[in-house]
Amino acid sequence: MILLNTTFISHNTHSTEVAEWLRDVYMPAAQSTGLFTMPLLTRVLTNVDPDATSYALQMRCENLNDATRWHDVDATALRNEIKSRWGQRVLFFTTYMEIL
């Protein structure tokens, strides 16, 4: 089982809006594929930048190939929307982890 973790770092002026968009748009889009289960959106409590809020979105996937394909192909439109809406005020990175 693979855990797809994407961390989003948002400037505080947009943090509430970003969290709502992740919950209302990003998560449902990922779940609609049928590839992911148990989505979990969390706020990262470690604060590296006082002007930013970080969120981690975690979703379980049966295998690395499906998770990677979704991220690299299907989720491109979602990432483009983030860039279009917030530009450099929202950054993100993805980590693939194996659940042991």
Side-chain angles (χ1 to χ4, degrees):
M1 180 71 63
I2 300 299
L3 187 66
L4 177 69
N5 180 88
T6 304
T7 301
F8 300 86
I9 302 128
S10 170
H11 190 274
N12 286 335
T13 57
H14 302 291
S15 63
T16 301
E17 181 183 358
V18 169
E20 290 171 357
W21 184 86
L22 291 170
R23 188 177 45 250
D24 298 341
V25 178
Y26 196 98
M27 290 171 67
Q31 283 187 281
S32 72
T33 66
L35 295 174
F36 299 101
T37 60
M38 301 179 65
L40 181 64
L41 179 62
T42 63
R43 182 180 8 256
V44 178
L45 297 179
T46 305
N47 191 355
V48 176
D49 181 346
D51 293 329
T53 301
S54 297
Y55 299 102
L57 174 57
Q58 298 180 340
M59 303 180 293
R60 293 177 183 225
C61 187
E62 284 296 320
N63 62 72
L64 182 58
N65 288 338
D66 286 344
T68 303
R69 188 183 75 246
W70 179 81
H71 178 270
D72 293 348
V73 177
D74 301 329
T76 300
L78 292 167
R79 291 192 304 276
N80 288 341
E81 185 173 345
I82 291 170
K83 291 175 187 174
S84 173
R85 290 175 69 115
W86 297 293
Q88 292 296 310
R89 292 194 170 264
V90 176
L91 305 174
F92 48 87
F93 62 93
T94 298
T95 307
Y96 301 93
M97 297 177 267
E98 181 179 17
I99 298 173
L100 303 177

